[in-house]
Amino acid sequence: MDKRQIKRFLVSFFPFLVFLISVASPSGDYVFRSVQPASLQPSPPPYVAFRNGTFYLYSSPFGTWRYPGLISVSVNGPLIYINSDCPFGLPTYLRGPGGYELDVFVPPGYQGTCRAELLYGSWSAEYVFKVREVDWYPGVDVRAAVVLNGSGWQFLQLAPDGALYAWGVEIGQLPFSGCVVERGGVLAITQQMPYTELAPGVLVNGSPMWVPYPQSGTSLASFLLDLRGNGTFYLYPAPCLKVEAPPAPAVDPIAEASANDIGLMGAPTPAAYVLARPKLAVAYRIEGPVATVVAANGSSIADRIYIYGFGLPVDMHMLLYYIYFTPTAYLTSDLVLFGSKPPAGRLGPFWAFPGNGTTYYYLGPMEPYLRNAPLPFGAPRGWAGPFIVVADGTGRWGGLPQVVSVAVERLGPWS
Amino acid sequence: MDPVLALMAGSIAALIPLLAVMYKGSDLDYARAAGLISSFAAGFVFGVLAQLWAQFYARFTYLLALGLMSASLGYSWWGIYRRWWVAYLFAAAGWIYLIVLIAAARALGLPDPFLI
Amino acid sequence: MELTPLLAGLVWGLALSVARQWAEQKAAGRADRSELFPDRDVVIAFIVLGTTANVYSALLIASGAPQVYARPSALVALALVTASQLLIFLMALRPSRLDLDLALAASAPYVYLAALWIAAQALGAYTLWLF
């Protein structure tokens, strides 16, 4: 063949080389446009250290610690394989082109070192993960360490603005709110109790009347702590855990109210001086593992009562009630807010009413028991409350706990 | 549906017979020019229909439309080759078929023209 | 295979080859064009296929984001593709007897890319841009 034939053949063949490259390449057209199969960008959260390709992670005994978007992978080629011996739930391959955020899920209690390798052919990138277990709730980097002093079981509630309530009485302020409470290395069962205003816009003793009401917007995270002297608990700003626990036993507020003459008032009627007792009926129930609330209300000619019985799984329960006294001006000699007989003494701000096996402690804006007063006195008018009665069946309750100290602890990177 | 791809398909369908005619040195008269326009239109519509393959590949009317468009292109090229303008009337059959489908779909209020 | 750059190159190649026919007609007049321009069939095929290959590779390289432009080998490829397309323009608009040699010179980018590809396969690299 002479030169002309060779030139003709080559000239017709050479343009096909480009299409042959595109078709015959293992990665297809990506050979023309990618420089590397993938580019990686690690973005660790502030409590994770990252040096020399090594992540220093934490694991928690309480659950899986999730690190979302720990490594951002932008895949330029058709495929990236991930080869790892870590039990972190990493995918085995990533298809390109596209961007991915790799999430790492560290199982509870996992400690040690493991590797993950991203590769495609002769290109590879390796990351080492060193995990250490820490006594911390997963996913949050801050917690409040609260030291309380008290004795006996305490029913604590945390408002969304961080106010801490014990038995419905505000005892302190925490820097943030949350629903995960850890005491002694164990998580406490918390329950979100929905609250609403009993009479919107009405203030009694300077505060609105917050009462439990199902499906409300505001919730108080409620939990129980057993104190013997000083006790520390940790609050994590995390949402509540879903627990399967039996509901707390309910308490019958109607029986308690009638046994203790709640709302008994003497009212002079044209026919005679009558002792008016409100007739109560149950309105609704809220069931939960920490507290079961039975709400009842009713009225007599002299007043109207809204009473809420909090049944707790420990041998204690609580009553919360608000009373609306009729605006008619009454002169009366009998007004009982709690008690079938006079109180036996005081425990701090509480009036104590011992019963058989259970001692009742009353806290309210008025004297609880006034019967057969020597001179008639003017009955109150309008809203009154909140009246709180703590019923102690254990005999250990030493009154409201005191907040000794509140400290904020931050989780920093290790090493 | 990318109109640029359809435009390119139409251009390729018209440029190939043009190149063939000019290569052979034949003269380009009005019959052949009409054939070029008909090829471009057939190629354009074929490009539009081909991009809808994934949505309509199971419909008989769609497959028939694709076939008629290919036949329309073939008839146009035949008309250019033989300078026989009657071939373009056969090429129009594909067009008429599509127009009837679209009108029927509009009248019946259906979302797309491929009835069955 | 990306369809849009392929078809775009094909359309442009066909248009250039039609332009070549017109230029040949102007240069030859009544004379026989196959005598005046030997190998015009191969040259036509090269104009069509070469333009398609030039447009295809240029668009693919340009779509590789800014990282590709940091590689000198990619810039060399783009320069060769541009030069090749200019030669094809020359062949289309000024037909001459030297068109076969011009076409051989215009094949430089394809040979360059094929050489890069063979080297990449030998080295196990997954990109053509080795330097």
Side-chain angles (χ1 to χ4, degrees):
Chain A
M1 285 200 297
D2 56 332
K3 272 179 48 179
R4 193 163 151 261
Q5 294 274 58
I6 298 177
K7 278 199 233 176
R8 280 173 63 99
F9 168 73
L10 287 180
V11 162
S12 17
F13 169 68
F14 279 150
F16 287 103
L17 286 176
V18 171
F19 309 115
L20 282 180
I21 292 176
S22 180
V23 165
S25 299
S27 49
D29 290 337
Y30 297 104
V31 280
F32 286 102
R33 46 187 171 197
S34 341
V35 175
Q36 273 194 347
S39 55
L40 306 164
Q41 178 66 31
S43 55
Y47 51 91
V48 168
F50 177 67
R51 277 195 328 270
N52 298 341
T54 306
F55 286 96
Y56 295 87
L57 301 176
Y58 284 108
S59 73
S60 166
F62 301 121
T64 307
W65 201 311
R66 190 170 159 260
Y67 296 89
L70 195 61
I71 307 175
S72 291
V73 183
S74 161
V75 184
N76 304 322
L79 205 55
I80 290 289
Y81 295 101
I82 302 180
N83 211 1
S84 87
D85 56 354
C86 304
F88 292 162
L90 294 170
T92 45
Y93 69 90
L94 295 173
R95 226 178 251 290
Y100 296 88
E101 303 263 334
L102 288 184
D103 296 344
V104 166
F105 298 87
V106 179
Y110 178 80
Q111 281 207 122
T113 306
C114 71
R115 284 179 174 62
E117 204 185 357
L118 293 90
L119 41 80
Y120 186 58
S122 58
W123 176 89
S124 78
E126 195 191 37
Y127 288 103
V128 179
F129 298 93
K130 289 190 194 294
V131 187
R132 170 194 284 187
E133 188 174 5
V134 70
D135 182 20
W136 200 278
Y137 188 73
V140 292
D141 65 342
V142 69
R143 71 180 181 185
V146 182
V147 181
L148 293 178
N149 189 334
S151 75
W153 283 99
Q154 308 294 349
F155 175 61
L156 296 167
Q157 288 174 307
L158 198 58
D161 62 353
L164 182 63
Y165 296 86
W167 304 101
V169 179
E170 182 169 350
I171 58 168
Q173 177 76 32
L174 298 187
F176 46 78
S177 178
C179 200
V180 175
V181 170
E182 179 201 336
R183 172 105 195 274
V186 171
L187 295 182
I189 298 182
T190 47
Q191 172 190 347
Q192 288 280 29
M193 181 82 68
Y195 271 69
T196 193
E197 289 190 46
L198 182 58
V202 175
L203 297 181
V204 176
N205 279 352
S207 335
M209 296 185 282
W210 288 104
V211 295
Y213 192 79
Q215 284 139 28
S216 298
T218 315
S219 290
L220 265 59
S222 314
F223 55 98
L224 292 165
L225 281 188
D226 191 12
L227 292 175
R228 294 159 203 276
N230 272 1
T232 309
F233 73 89
Y234 298 101
L235 173 75
Y236 296 92
C240 300
L241 295 165
K242 301 254 181 299
V243 283
E244 295 283 334
V251 70
D252 184 0
I254 301 178
E256 299 258 327
S258 65
N260 291 289
D261 290 338
I262 293 180
L264 177 82
M265 192 156 102
T269 61
Y273 178 83
V274 298
L275 286 177
R277 276 189 178 78
K279 278 177 63 63
L280 297 174
V282 172
Y284 52 83
R285 281 167 81 110
I286 302 175
E287 299 222 340
V290 174
T292 295
V293 174
V294 178
N297 54 49
S299 61
S300 68
I301 57 169
D303 52 22
R304 210 159 72 217
I305 295 190
Y306 299 86
I307 183 165
Y308 304 89
F310 290 70
L312 304 174
V314 298
D315 196 9
M316 299 175 74
H317 62 268
M318 173 173 125
L319 299 172
L320 166 71
Y321 48 101
Y322 289 91
I323 301 185
Y324 181 76
F325 294 97
T326 46
T328 320
Y330 278 135
L331 280 181
T332 182
S333 307
D334 300 274
L335 175 62
V336 177
L337 294 153
F338 187 84
S340 51
K341 48 188 201 304
R346 289 186 76 110
L347 173 66
F350 289 85
W351 294 92
F353 292 83
N356 44 345
T358 310
T359 310
Y360 292 87
Y361 297 93
Y362 159 92
L363 179 66
M366 300 169 198
E367 295 237 356
Y369 186 88
L370 270 171
R371 291 296 304 269
N372 299 321
L375 283 177
F377 56 89
R381 289 186 291 175
W383 283 102
F387 301 98
I388 294 170
V389 173
V390 176
D392 177 18
T394 64
R396 290 195 299 124
W397 195 60
L400 293 177
Q402 284 170 316
V403 175
V404 173
S405 71
V406 175
V408 172
E409 296 177 9
R410 288 203 167 269
L411 186 65
W414 66 276
S415 133
Chain B
M1 206 280 293
D2 190 2
V4 174
L5 279 179
L7 275 174
M8 293 200 289
S11 312
I12 293 172
L15 281 172
I16 292 177
L18 178 62
L19 178 63
V21 161
M22 294 187 71
Y23 184 79
K24 287 181 48 176
S26 319
D27 42 337
L28 196 63
D29 55 355
Y30 286 110
R32 287 208 162 115
L36 289 180
I37 295 175
S38 169
S39 320
F40 176 83
F44 180 82
V45 175
F46 185 85
V48 169
L49 289 181
Q51 291 179 65
L52 303 172
W53 172 265
Q55 283 161 275
F56 297 123
Y57 65 88
R59 307 235 196 147
F60 171 70
T61 44
Y62 172 78
L63 297 173
L64 186 57
L66 275 183
L68 284 177
M69 275 303 132
S70 320
S72 168
L73 188 63
Y75 273 118
S76 308
W77 283 5
W78 181 251
I80 297 174
Y81 176 58
R82 284 274 185 224
R83 286 179 60 196
W84 187 46
W85 58 267
V86 180
Y88 309 145
L89 294 181
F90 290 122
W95 290 93
I96 295 170
Y97 168 72
L98 263 184
I99 292 173
V100 166
L101 269 187
I102 292 175
R106 281 272 172 80
L108 294 174
L110 295 174
D112 57 61
F114 302 112
L115 303 172
I116 49 167
Chain C
M1 280 250 150
E2 295 257 332
L3 203 56
T4 310
L6 198 65
L7 290 186
L10 192 56
V11 168
W12 198 19
L14 286 172
L16 282 178
S17 63
V18 167
R20 158 103 183 184
Q21 299 311 306
W22 173 80
E24 277 179 4
Q25 179 68 29
K26 258 186 41 174
R30 288 272 135 214
D32 183 11
R33 291 193 272 173
S34 309
E35 293 285 325
L36 209 51
F37 306 112
D39 313 307
R40 61 192 275 258
D41 46 351
V42 170
V43 171
I44 293 295
F46 184 81
I47 291 178
V48 175
L49 293 172
T51 307
T52 312
N54 284 337
V55 170
Y56 188 70
S57 41
L59 285 181
L60 281 189
I61 297 172
S63 77
Q67 293 107 315
V68 174
Y69 296 142
R71 294 293 192 136
S73 48
L75 298 174
V76 166
L78 281 179
L80 283 177
V81 160
T82 316
S84 162
Q85 192 61 27
L86 287 175
L87 283 177
I88 291 180
F89 267 143
L90 197 61
M91 285 174 0
L93 298 173
R94 276 189 184 283
S96 73
R97 304 188 69 88
L98 294 171
D99 283 341
L100 199 57
D101 303 301
L102 275 182
L104 206 54
S107 313
Y110 318 134
V111 177
Y112 170 70
L113 286 175
L116 274 182
W117 187 78
I118 293 171
Q121 295 304 105
L123 292 173
Y126 279 86
T127 178
L128 285 178
W129 317 124
L130 299 173
F131 60 91

